[in-house]
Amino acid sequence: SSSTFYQKYHRLEDIYEWINRTTHDNPSTVKAILIGSSFEKQPLLALKLSMNDRPDKKAMWMDCGIHAREWISPAFCLSFVQHSLSFYKQNQEITHILDNMDIYVLPVMNPDGYKHTWTENRMWRKNRSHTKNTNCIGVDLNRNFDANWCMEGASRDPCSETYCGRFPESEPESKAVADFLRLHKDSIHLYISIHSYSQMLLFPYSYTLEEAPNHSDLLEMAKGAADNIKRYHRNHYVYGAGAKTIYLAPGGSDDWAYNLGIKYSFTFELQDRGRYGFLLPPSHIHSACSEALTAVKTVALMVINKA
Ligand SMILES: NCCCCC[C@@H](C[SeH])C(=O)O
Ligand SMILES: [Zn+2]
Ligand SMILES: [Zn+2]
């Protein structure tokens, strides 16, 4: 849209206002779904984009803001929704995707942590839950899913940035997402989790160096996305299975979604490669979101053509 709204980062209240405005302005195509609430009782609101009521349509899920300090992630979810709504029937690829797939977008999966980065600590990563008999706060939601939970690459120390929690899905935020994906696992064929930074397109597994059964499919899709980012944006994204490409990371949402049966599952690490890191300036939002959009469209089109 012409407004500068999508070239800025927004505080939590403004994102909730945007969710209300977007659903209100698009009553027949956008629905807000309350999938749960955070530790501090903030609503976990996912948007459902559905352009037609074609029966047995596939769906994709995209979550942003699982890690609080990765501000470019929620910024991308907002710009992705805006772009999809305004280019439906204008852009052939967006139209093809939305004609064939419903899209669930969770703009801020960790609202308590996101709010904390605006008010107290810009570099906060985890959620804000309290663990008894420790004064350290927060669980790494991307180590809290039931996928090789709390093995190598996570920590049982509540003060660690990769604290796995007391048990799998101990956190209301990861439980809410897992419940929703379990409920819709037969229709959701593509899972994407948006993070920053390091410009990587990652896929299962991250909890083991073993190759996923459809590794060649996932590699082809990630390569296609990285090639398109290079071709259209002249920027370089690394791609590959998580464990080998970034680090061992158990309890991740993408690995869990994959094992649930969502065979096309990705984690995208957006800009940059470390110059600004989590503090990516607002002037970089447009290019970071354009590159991420290219990657999402590439893999979504491939899923539609495969199944
Ligand atoms: N599911 C693990 C995917 C690879 C690691 C992703 C990064 C994003 Se900040 C992490 O959770 O440490
Ligand atoms: Zn992250
Ligand atoms: Zn990251």
Side-chain angles (χ1 to χ4, degrees), residues 231-249:
R231 182 168 158 216
Y232 298 117
H233 307 283
R234 298 265 158 272
N235 208 351
H236 182 74
Y237 281 62
V238 169
Y239 58 91
K244 200 168 49 185
T245 310
I246 187 166
Y247 35 61
L248 267 180

mmCIF file with all atom_site columns, all heavy atoms in Angstrom, residues 231-249:
data_model
loop_
_atom_site.group_PDB
_atom_site.id
_atom_site.type_symbol
_atom_site.label_atom_id
_atom_site.label_alt_id
_atom_site.label_comp_id
_atom_site.label_asym_id
_atom_site.label_entity_id
_atom_site.label_seq_id
_atom_site.pdbx_PDB_ins_code
_atom_site.Cartn_x
_atom_site.Cartn_y
_atom_site.Cartn_z
_atom_site.occupancy
_atom_site.B_iso_or_equiv
_atom_site.pdbx_formal_charge
_atom_site.auth_seq_id
_atom_site.auth_comp_id
_atom_site.auth_asym_id
_atom_site.auth_atom_id
_atom_site.pdbx_PDB_model_num
ATOM 1   N N   . ARG A 1 231 ? 17.840 -13.865 -8.076  1.00 0.00 ? 231 ARG A N   1
ATOM 2   C CA  . ARG A 1 231 ? 17.463 -13.397 -9.417  1.00 0.00 ? 231 ARG A CA  1
ATOM 3   C C   . ARG A 1 231 ? 16.710 -12.069 -9.351  1.00 0.00 ? 231 ARG A C   1
ATOM 4   O O   . ARG A 1 231 ? 17.019 -11.139 -10.076 1.00 0.00 ? 231 ARG A O   1
ATOM 5   C CB  . ARG A 1 231 ? 16.587 -14.483 -10.047 1.00 0.00 ? 231 ARG A CB  1
ATOM 6   C CG  . ARG A 1 231 ? 16.133 -14.212 -11.456 1.00 0.00 ? 231 ARG A CG  1
ATOM 7   C CD  . ARG A 1 231 ? 15.544 -15.488 -12.051 1.00 0.00 ? 231 ARG A CD  1
ATOM 8   N NE  . ARG A 1 231 ? 14.640 -15.220 -13.163 1.00 0.00 ? 231 ARG A NE  1
ATOM 9   C CZ  . ARG A 1 231 ? 13.521 -15.942 -13.392 1.00 0.00 ? 231 ARG A CZ  1
ATOM 10  N NH1 . ARG A 1 231 ? 13.207 -16.932 -12.569 1.00 0.00 ? 231 ARG A NH1 1
ATOM 11  N NH2 . ARG A 1 231 ? 12.756 -15.663 -14.421 1.00 0.00 ? 231 ARG A NH2 1
ATOM 12  N N   . TYR A 1 232 ? 15.758 -11.965 -8.420  1.00 0.00 ? 232 TYR A N   1
ATOM 13  C CA  . TYR A 1 232 ? 14.922 -10.756 -8.407  1.00 0.00 ? 232 TYR A CA  1
ATOM 14  C C   . TYR A 1 232 ? 15.403 -9.679  -7.457  1.00 0.00 ? 232 TYR A C   1
ATOM 15  O O   . TYR A 1 232 ? 15.050 -8.523  -7.590  1.00 0.00 ? 232 TYR A O   1
ATOM 16  C CB  . TYR A 1 232 ? 13.470 -11.136 -8.059  1.00 0.00 ? 232 TYR A CB  1
ATOM 17  C CG  . TYR A 1 232 ? 12.827 -12.065 -9.053  1.00 0.00 ? 232 TYR A CG  1
ATOM 18  C CD1 . TYR A 1 232 ? 12.415 -13.340 -8.686  1.00 0.00 ? 232 TYR A CD1 1
ATOM 19  C CD2 . TYR A 1 232 ? 12.672 -11.677 -10.392 1.00 0.00 ? 232 TYR A CD2 1
ATOM 20  C CE1 . TYR A 1 232 ? 11.837 -14.203 -9.607  1.00 0.00 ? 232 TYR A CE1 1
ATOM 21  C CE2 . TYR A 1 232 ? 12.110 -12.530 -11.319 1.00 0.00 ? 232 TYR A CE2 1
ATOM 22  C CZ  . TYR A 1 232 ? 11.686 -13.798 -10.925 1.00 0.00 ? 232 TYR A CZ  1
ATOM 23  O OH  . TYR A 1 232 ? 11.120 -14.653 -11.839 1.00 0.00 ? 232 TYR A OH  1
ATOM 24  N N   . HIS A 1 233 ? 16.218 -10.094 -6.457  1.00 0.00 ? 233 HIS A N   1
ATOM 25  C CA  . HIS A 1 233 ? 16.626 -9.108  -5.444  1.00 0.00 ? 233 HIS A CA  1
ATOM 26  C C   . HIS A 1 233 ? 18.138 -9.001  -5.309  1.00 0.00 ? 233 HIS A C   1
ATOM 27  O O   . HIS A 1 233 ? 18.628 -8.209  -4.511  1.00 0.00 ? 233 HIS A O   1
ATOM 28  C CB  . HIS A 1 233 ? 16.012 -9.462  -4.085  1.00 0.00 ? 233 HIS A CB  1
ATOM 29  C CG  . HIS A 1 233 ? 14.524 -9.651  -4.123  1.00 0.00 ? 233 HIS A CG  1
ATOM 30  N ND1 . HIS A 1 233 ? 13.625 -8.600  -4.173  1.00 0.00 ? 233 HIS A ND1 1
ATOM 31  C CD2 . HIS A 1 233 ? 13.776 -10.781 -4.184  1.00 0.00 ? 233 HIS A CD2 1
ATOM 32  C CE1 . HIS A 1 233 ? 12.390 -9.074  -4.227  1.00 0.00 ? 233 HIS A CE1 1
ATOM 33  N NE2 . HIS A 1 233 ? 12.448 -10.400 -4.241  1.00 0.00 ? 233 HIS A NE2 1
ATOM 34  N N   . ARG A 1 234 ? 18.854 -9.849  -6.066  1.00 0.00 ? 234 ARG A N   1
ATOM 35  C CA  . ARG A 1 234 ? 20.324 -9.810  -5.999  1.00 0.00 ? 234 ARG A CA  1
ATOM 36  C C   . ARG A 1 234 ? 20.852 -10.019 -4.589  1.00 0.00 ? 234 ARG A C   1
ATOM 37  O O   . ARG A 1 234 ? 21.859 -9.426  -4.212  1.00 0.00 ? 234 ARG A O   1
ATOM 38  C CB  . ARG A 1 234 ? 20.851 -8.463  -6.554  1.00 0.00 ? 234 ARG A CB  1
ATOM 39  C CG  . ARG A 1 234 ? 20.518 -8.209  -8.007  1.00 0.00 ? 234 ARG A CG  1
ATOM 40  C CD  . ARG A 1 234 ? 21.699 -8.646  -8.919  1.00 0.00 ? 234 ARG A CD  1
ATOM 41  N NE  . ARG A 1 234 ? 21.244 -8.908  -10.293 1.00 0.00 ? 234 ARG A NE  1
ATOM 42  C CZ  . ARG A 1 234 ? 20.785 -10.107 -10.685 1.00 0.00 ? 234 ARG A CZ  1
ATOM 43  N NH1 . ARG A 1 234 ? 20.728 -11.116 -9.829  1.00 0.00 ? 234 ARG A NH1 1
ATOM 44  N NH2 . ARG A 1 234 ? 20.352 -10.311 -11.911 1.00 0.00 ? 234 ARG A NH2 1
ATOM 45  N N   . ASN A 1 235 ? 20.158 -10.784 -3.776  1.00 0.00 ? 235 ASN A N   1
ATOM 46  C CA  . ASN A 1 235 ? 20.643 -11.004 -2.419  1.00 0.00 ? 235 ASN A CA  1
ATOM 47  C C   . ASN A 1 235 ? 20.859 -12.494 -2.190  1.00 0.00 ? 235 ASN A C   1
ATOM 48  O O   . ASN A 1 235 ? 20.280 -13.336 -2.881  1.00 0.00 ? 235 ASN A O   1
ATOM 49  C CB  . ASN A 1 235 ? 19.666 -10.433 -1.381  1.00 0.00 ? 235 ASN A CB  1
ATOM 50  C CG  . ASN A 1 235 ? 20.384 -10.032 -0.093  1.00 0.00 ? 235 ASN A CG  1
ATOM 51  O OD1 . ASN A 1 235 ? 21.569 -10.338 0.087   1.00 0.00 ? 235 ASN A OD1 1
ATOM 52  N ND2 . ASN A 1 235 ? 19.660 -9.372  0.799   1.00 0.00 ? 235 ASN A ND2 1
ATOM 53  N N   . HIS A 1 236 ? 21.706 -12.797 -1.205  1.00 0.00 ? 236 HIS A N   1
ATOM 54  C CA  . HIS A 1 236 ? 22.188 -14.161 -1.032  1.00 0.00 ? 236 HIS A CA  1
ATOM 55  C C   . HIS A 1 236 ? 21.596 -14.790 0.219   1.00 0.00 ? 236 HIS A C   1
ATOM 56  O O   . HIS A 1 236 ? 21.769 -14.253 1.312   1.00 0.00 ? 236 HIS A O   1
ATOM 57  C CB  . HIS A 1 236 ? 23.724 -14.142 -0.938  1.00 0.00 ? 236 HIS A CB  1
ATOM 58  C CG  . HIS A 1 236 ? 24.320 -15.500 -0.812  1.00 0.00 ? 236 HIS A CG  1
ATOM 59  N ND1 . HIS A 1 236 ? 24.406 -16.389 -1.867  1.00 0.00 ? 236 HIS A ND1 1
ATOM 60  C CD2 . HIS A 1 236 ? 24.821 -16.154 0.264   1.00 0.00 ? 236 HIS A CD2 1
ATOM 61  C CE1 . HIS A 1 236 ? 24.951 -17.524 -1.441  1.00 0.00 ? 236 HIS A CE1 1
ATOM 62  N NE2 . HIS A 1 236 ? 25.214 -17.403 -0.144  1.00 0.00 ? 236 HIS A NE2 1
ATOM 63  N N   . TYR A 1 237 ? 20.855 -15.867 0.061   1.00 0.00 ? 237 TYR A N   1
ATOM 64  C CA  . TYR A 1 237 ? 20.315 -16.633 1.186   1.00 0.00 ? 237 TYR A CA  1
ATOM 65  C C   . TYR A 1 237 ? 20.902 -18.041 1.142   1.00 0.00 ? 237 TYR A C   1
ATOM 66  O O   . TYR A 1 237 ? 20.929 -18.685 0.098   1.00 0.00 ? 237 TYR A O   1
ATOM 67  C CB  . TYR A 1 237 ? 18.788 -16.703 1.118   1.00 0.00 ? 237 TYR A CB  1
ATOM 68  C CG  . TYR A 1 237 ? 18.107 -15.446 1.605   1.00 0.00 ? 237 TYR A CG  1
ATOM 69  C CD1 . TYR A 1 237 ? 18.320 -14.228 0.955   1.00 0.00 ? 237 TYR A CD1 1
ATOM 70  C CD2 . TYR A 1 237 ? 17.269 -15.453 2.710   1.00 0.00 ? 237 TYR A CD2 1
ATOM 71  C CE1 . TYR A 1 237 ? 17.712 -13.063 1.392   1.00 0.00 ? 237 TYR A CE1 1
ATOM 72  C CE2 . TYR A 1 237 ? 16.645 -14.293 3.161   1.00 0.00 ? 237 TYR A CE2 1
ATOM 73  C CZ  . TYR A 1 237 ? 16.882 -13.094 2.492   1.00 0.00 ? 237 TYR A CZ  1
ATOM 74  O OH  . TYR A 1 237 ? 16.268 -11.951 2.933   1.00 0.00 ? 237 TYR A OH  1
ATOM 75  N N   . VAL A 1 238 ? 21.344 -18.503 2.312   1.00 0.00 ? 238 VAL A N   1
ATOM 76  C CA  . VAL A 1 238 ? 21.825 -19.873 2.452   1.00 0.00 ? 238 VAL A CA  1
ATOM 77  C C   . VAL A 1 238 ? 20.607 -20.765 2.636   1.00 0.00 ? 238 VAL A C   1
ATOM 78  O O   . VAL A 1 238 ? 19.577 -20.311 3.156   1.00 0.00 ? 238 VAL A O   1
ATOM 79  C CB  . VAL A 1 238 ? 22.772 -19.941 3.684   1.00 0.00 ? 238 VAL A CB  1
ATOM 80  C CG1 . VAL A 1 238 ? 23.098 -21.365 4.053   1.00 0.00 ? 238 VAL A CG1 1
ATOM 81  C CG2 . VAL A 1 238 ? 24.012 -19.119 3.426   1.00 0.00 ? 238 VAL A CG2 1
ATOM 82  N N   . TYR A 1 239 ? 20.691 -22.016 2.201   1.00 0.00 ? 239 TYR A N   1
ATOM 83  C CA  . TYR A 1 239 ? 19.545 -22.903 2.407   1.00 0.00 ? 239 TYR A CA  1
ATOM 84  C C   . TYR A 1 239 ? 20.036 -24.316 2.736   1.00 0.00 ? 239 TYR A C   1
ATOM 85  O O   . TYR A 1 239 ? 21.140 -24.704 2.351   1.00 0.00 ? 239 TYR A O   1
ATOM 86  C CB  . TYR A 1 239 ? 18.643 -22.923 1.174   1.00 0.00 ? 239 TYR A CB  1
ATOM 87  C CG  . TYR A 1 239 ? 19.344 -23.360 -0.090  1.00 0.00 ? 239 TYR A CG  1
ATOM 88  C CD1 . TYR A 1 239 ? 19.371 -24.696 -0.466  1.00 0.00 ? 239 TYR A CD1 1
ATOM 89  C CD2 . TYR A 1 239 ? 20.004 -22.436 -0.904  1.00 0.00 ? 239 TYR A CD2 1
ATOM 90  C CE1 . TYR A 1 239 ? 20.029 -25.096 -1.616  1.00 0.00 ? 239 TYR A CE1 1
ATOM 91  C CE2 . TYR A 1 239 ? 20.659 -22.825 -2.053  1.00 0.00 ? 239 TYR A CE2 1
ATOM 92  C CZ  . TYR A 1 239 ? 20.673 -24.156 -2.401  1.00 0.00 ? 239 TYR A CZ  1
ATOM 93  O OH  . TYR A 1 239 ? 21.326 -24.546 -3.525  1.00 0.00 ? 239 TYR A OH  1
ATOM 94  N N   . GLY A 1 240 ? 19.187 -25.051 3.442   1.00 0.00 ? 240 GLY A N   1
ATOM 95  C CA  . GLY A 1 240 ? 19.518 -26.432 3.797   1.00 0.00 ? 240 GLY A CA  1
ATOM 96  C C   . GLY A 1 240 ? 18.800 -26.893 5.048   1.00 0.00 ? 240 GLY A C   1
ATOM 97  O O   . GLY A 1 240 ? 18.044 -26.135 5.652   1.00 0.00 ? 240 GLY A O   1
ATOM 98  N N   . ALA A 1 241 ? 19.056 -28.145 5.436   1.00 0.00 ? 241 ALA A N   1
ATOM 99  C CA  . ALA A 1 241 ? 18.456 -28.684 6.664   1.00 0.00 ? 241 ALA A CA  1
ATOM 100 C C   . ALA A 1 241 ? 19.045 -27.931 7.865   1.00 0.00 ? 241 ALA A C   1
ATOM 101 O O   . ALA A 1 241 ? 20.232 -27.592 7.893   1.00 0.00 ? 241 ALA A O   1
ATOM 102 C CB  . ALA A 1 241 ? 18.760 -30.174 6.771   1.00 0.00 ? 241 ALA A CB  1
ATOM 103 N N   . GLY A 1 242 ? 18.202 -27.668 8.847   1.00 0.00 ? 242 GLY A N   1
ATOM 104 C CA  . GLY A 1 242 ? 18.594 -26.798 9.950   1.00 0.00 ? 242 GLY A CA  1
ATOM 105 C C   . GLY A 1 242 ? 19.829 -27.253 10.710  1.00 0.00 ? 242 GLY A C   1
ATOM 106 O O   . GLY A 1 242 ? 20.760 -26.470 10.918  1.00 0.00 ? 242 GLY A O   1
ATOM 107 N N   . ALA A 1 243 ? 19.872 -28.544 11.113  1.00 0.00 ? 243 ALA A N   1
ATOM 108 C CA  . ALA A 1 243 ? 20.956 -29.015 11.980  1.00 0.00 ? 243 ALA A CA  1
ATOM 109 C C   . ALA A 1 243 ? 22.325 -28.738 11.349  1.00 0.00 ? 243 ALA A C   1
ATOM 110 O O   . ALA A 1 243 ? 23.251 -28.293 12.003  1.00 0.00 ? 243 ALA A O   1
ATOM 111 C CB  . ALA A 1 243 ? 20.793 -30.505 12.252  1.00 0.00 ? 243 ALA A CB  1
ATOM 112 N N   . LYS A 1 244 ? 22.403 -28.974 10.035  1.00 0.00 ? 244 LYS A N   1
ATOM 113 C CA  . LYS A 1 244 ? 23.689 -28.835 9.349   1.00 0.00 ? 244 LYS A CA  1
ATOM 114 C C   . LYS A 1 244 ? 23.957 -27.380 8.956   1.00 0.00 ? 244 LYS A C   1
ATOM 115 O O   . LYS A 1 244 ? 25.083 -26.916 8.965   1.00 0.00 ? 244 LYS A O   1
ATOM 116 C CB  . LYS A 1 244 ? 23.654 -29.718 8.086   1.00 0.00 ? 244 LYS A CB  1
ATOM 117 C CG  . LYS A 1 244 ? 25.009 -30.069 7.513   1.00 0.00 ? 244 LYS A CG  1
ATOM 118 C CD  . LYS A 1 244 ? 24.897 -31.163 6.450   1.00 0.00 ? 244 LYS A CD  1
ATOM 119 C CE  . LYS A 1 244 ? 23.805 -30.861 5.431   1.00 0.00 ? 244 LYS A CE  1
ATOM 120 N NZ  . LYS A 1 244 ? 23.611 -31.959 4.464   1.00 0.00 ? 244 LYS A NZ  1
ATOM 121 N N   . THR A 1 245 ? 22.884 -26.648 8.630   1.00 0.00 ? 245 THR A N   1
ATOM 122 C CA  . THR A 1 245 ? 23.053 -25.314 8.031   1.00 0.00 ? 245 THR A CA  1
ATOM 123 C C   . THR A 1 245 ? 23.213 -24.231 9.077   1.00 0.00 ? 245 THR A C   1
ATOM 124 O O   . THR A 1 245 ? 23.973 -23.289 8.878   1.00 0.00 ? 245 THR A O   1
ATOM 125 C CB  . THR A 1 245 ? 21.836 -25.016 7.134   1.00 0.00 ? 245 THR A CB  1
ATOM 126 O OG1 . THR A 1 245 ? 21.622 -26.138 6.268   1.00 0.00 ? 245 THR A OG1 1
ATOM 127 C CG2 . THR A 1 245 ? 22.054 -23.767 6.289   1.00 0.00 ? 245 THR A CG2 1
ATOM 128 N N   . ILE A 1 246 ? 22.513 -24.371 10.243  1.00 0.00 ? 246 ILE A N   1
ATOM 129 C CA  . ILE A 1 246 ? 22.667 -23.345 11.284  1.00 0.00 ? 246 ILE A CA  1
ATOM 130 C C   . ILE A 1 246 ? 23.229 -23.984 12.544  1.00 0.00 ? 246 ILE A C   1
ATOM 131 O O   . ILE A 1 246 ? 24.395 -23.786 12.865  1.00 0.00 ? 246 ILE A O   1
ATOM 132 C CB  . ILE A 1 246 ? 21.359 -22.536 11.477  1.00 0.00 ? 246 ILE A CB  1
ATOM 133 C CG1 . ILE A 1 246 ? 21.568 -21.357 12.444  1.00 0.00 ? 246 ILE A CG1 1
ATOM 134 C CG2 . ILE A 1 246 ? 20.177 -23.398 11.897  1.00 0.00 ? 246 ILE A CG2 1
ATOM 135 C CD1 . ILE A 1 246 ? 20.431 -20.345 12.397  1.00 0.00 ? 246 ILE A CD1 1
ATOM 136 N N   . TYR A 1 247 ? 22.436 -24.790 13.287  1.00 0.00 ? 247 TYR A N   1
ATOM 137 C CA  . TYR A 1 247 ? 22.957 -25.506 14.458  1.00 0.00 ? 247 TYR A CA  1
ATOM 138 C C   . TYR A 1 247 ? 21.916 -26.550 14.886  1.00 0.00 ? 247 TYR A C   1
ATOM 139 O O   . TYR A 1 247 ? 20.768 -26.529 14.444  1.00 0.00 ? 247 TYR A O   1
ATOM 140 C CB  . TYR A 1 247 ? 23.273 -24.560 15.628  1.00 0.00 ? 247 TYR A CB  1
ATOM 141 C CG  . TYR A 1 247 ? 22.353 -23.382 15.802  1.00 0.00 ? 247 TYR A CG  1
ATOM 142 C CD1 . TYR A 1 247 ? 20.989 -23.549 16.055  1.00 0.00 ? 247 TYR A CD1 1
ATOM 143 C CD2 . TYR A 1 247 ? 22.839 -22.065 15.707  1.00 0.00 ? 247 TYR A CD2 1
ATOM 144 C CE1 . TYR A 1 247 ? 20.155 -22.471 16.213  1.00 0.00 ? 247 TYR A CE1 1
ATOM 145 C CE2 . TYR A 1 247 ? 22.005 -20.974 15.868  1.00 0.00 ? 247 TYR A CE2 1
ATOM 146 C CZ  . TYR A 1 247 ? 20.651 -21.180 16.117  1.00 0.00 ? 247 TYR A CZ  1
ATOM 147 O OH  . TYR A 1 247 ? 19.818 -20.089 16.269  1.00 0.00 ? 247 TYR A OH  1
ATOM 148 N N   . LEU A 1 248 ? 22.312 -27.460 15.777  1.00 0.00 ? 248 LEU A N   1
ATOM 149 C CA  . LEU A 1 248 ? 21.352 -28.413 16.342  1.00 0.00 ? 248 LEU A CA  1
ATOM 150 C C   . LEU A 1 248 ? 20.351 -27.619 17.178  1.00 0.00 ? 248 LEU A C   1
ATOM 151 O O   . LEU A 1 248 ? 20.740 -26.802 18.015  1.00 0.00 ? 248 LEU A O   1
ATOM 152 C CB  . LEU A 1 248 ? 22.061 -29.429 17.239  1.00 0.00 ? 248 LEU A CB  1
ATOM 153 C CG  . LEU A 1 248 ? 22.520 -30.746 16.606  1.00 0.00 ? 248 LEU A CG  1
ATOM 154 C CD1 . LEU A 1 248 ? 23.190 -31.611 17.668  1.00 0.00 ? 248 LEU A CD1 1
ATOM 155 C CD2 . LEU A 1 248 ? 21.345 -31.501 15.988  1.00 0.00 ? 248 LEU A CD2 1
ATOM 156 N N   . ALA A 1 249 ? 19.065 -27.839 16.962  1.00 0.00 ? 249 ALA A N   1
ATOM 157 C CA  . ALA A 1 249 ? 18.039 -27.101 17.710  1.00 0.00 ? 249 ALA A CA  1
ATOM 158 C C   . ALA A 1 249 ? 16.821 -28.005 17.867  1.00 0.00 ? 249 ALA A C   1
ATOM 159 O O   . ALA A 1 249 ? 16.027 -28.141 16.943  1.00 0.00 ? 249 ALA A O   1
ATOM 160 C CB  . ALA A 1 249 ? 17.673 -25.812 16.981  1.00 0.00 ? 249 ALA A CB  1
#
